[in-house]
């Protein structure tokens, strides 16, 4: 069997770092539960590459010149499409991303793992009717945010399911 890039352990979930052009892609990877860093704007290529290597992450980019760095093929994923949907499909096919099995387990804002609900309060922006209906909530301890499964999450879930069908 031949592979491009290094063999990775199937049991270790893939981890990513997205360059600044691909923040949308990074957001979707977080929604799917993947540990994904979105570095600050203007971060130097060398810094991104070093971080990817040190933290055992795939660096996702559309910047062809990143591939010129020594050993880049081992941890850089170069995407070709210039649309978000195109990029998500490329990742699905090339990295076998599972968009569903850990969906909504990670904070889209800060990448922290979400916890089962603590006590919701309107102070956190949780609408009273959500609290009243006892809809289950997830809490991000890092950015003090509550999340709940509303119509927005339903639409996201449908998109994730659509992507998974392409695997
Ligand atoms: Zn958070």
């Amino acid at each position: 069997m031949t592979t491009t890039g290094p063999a990775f352990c199937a049991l270790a979930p893939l981890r990513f770092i997205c360059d600044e052009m691909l923040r949308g892609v990074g957001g979707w990877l977080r929604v799917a539960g993947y540990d994904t860093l979105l570095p600050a704007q203007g971060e130097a290529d060398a810094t991104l590459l070093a971080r990817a290597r040190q933290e055992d992450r795939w660096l996702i980019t559309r910047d062809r010149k990143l591939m010129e760095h020594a050993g880049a093929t081992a941890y850089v994923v170069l995407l070709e499409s210039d649309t978000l949907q195109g990029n998500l499909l490329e990742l699905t096919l090339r990295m076998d991303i599972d968009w569903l099995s850990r969906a909504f387990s990670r904070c889209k804002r800060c990448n922290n793992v979400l916890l089962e609900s603590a006590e919701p309060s309107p102070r956190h922006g949780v609408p009273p009717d959500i609290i009243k209906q006892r809809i289950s909530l997830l809490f991000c301890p890092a950015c003090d945010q509550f999340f709940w499964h509303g119509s927005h999450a339903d639409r996201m879930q449908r998109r994730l399911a659509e992507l998974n069908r392409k695997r």
Side-chain angles (χ1 to χ4, degrees):
M1 195 178 89
T2 56
T3 55
T4 52
F8 54 83
C9 173
L11 296 173
L14 297 174
R15 307 195 311 156
F16 300 98
I17 181 166
C18 286
D19 83 6
E20 66 185 35
M21 309 262 299
L22 296 173
R23 298 183 77 80
V25 170
W28 278 96
L29 285 167
R30 283 181 178 176
V31 169
Y34 287 94
D35 178 348
T36 305
L37 298 182
L38 303 175
Q41 299 231 328
E43 198 81 79
D45 289 356
T47 311
L48 295 181
L49 288 157
R51 193 131 189 225
R53 214 168 13 198
Q54 279 156 16
E55 298 182 15
D56 204 15
R57 294 176 184 275
W58 288 97
L59 172 56
I60 304 175
T61 186
R62 285 183 43 227
D63 184 355
R64 195 164 286 280
K65 73 178 193 306
L66 278 177
M67 296 307 278
E68 293 163 10
H69 290 260
T73 51
Y75 57 95
V76 178
V77 181
L78 180 69
L79 299 182
E80 309 279 344
S81 171
D82 55 8
T83 67
L84 173 61
Q85 180 63 12
N87 289 149
L88 296 177
L89 283 174
E90 281 177 88
L91 275 180
T92 305
L93 298 173
R94 289 175 54 189
M95 310 296 287
D96 193 29
I97 299 294
D98 179 354
W99 297 97
L100 280 179
S101 66
R102 289 177 301 128
F104 305 107
S105 63
R106 191 173 287 273
C107 180
K108 192 183 172 196
R109 274 172 103 198
C110 75
N111 197 40
N112 208 79
V113 173
L114 295 175
L115 304 175
E116 288 298 324
S117 154
E119 276 304 298
S121 90
R123 178 175 73 80
H124 287 99
V126 182
D129 59 312
I130 297 289
I131 297 175
K132 221 185 299 170
Q133 289 174 62
R134 305 198 149 275
I135 289 174
S136 68
L137 298 168
L138 291 168
F139 178 66
C140 176
C143 66
D144 197 29
Q145 229 355 63
F146 278 91
F147 299 89
W148 58 93
H149 207 96
S151 56
H152 179 58
D154 281 342
R155 281 193 298 278
M156 292 173 102
Q157 177 101 30
R158 279 197 292 278
R159 189 163 182 183
L160 296 171
E162 223 168 85
L163 285 166
N164 253 27
R165 280 196 288 276
K166 310 282 185 192
R167 294 173 75 201

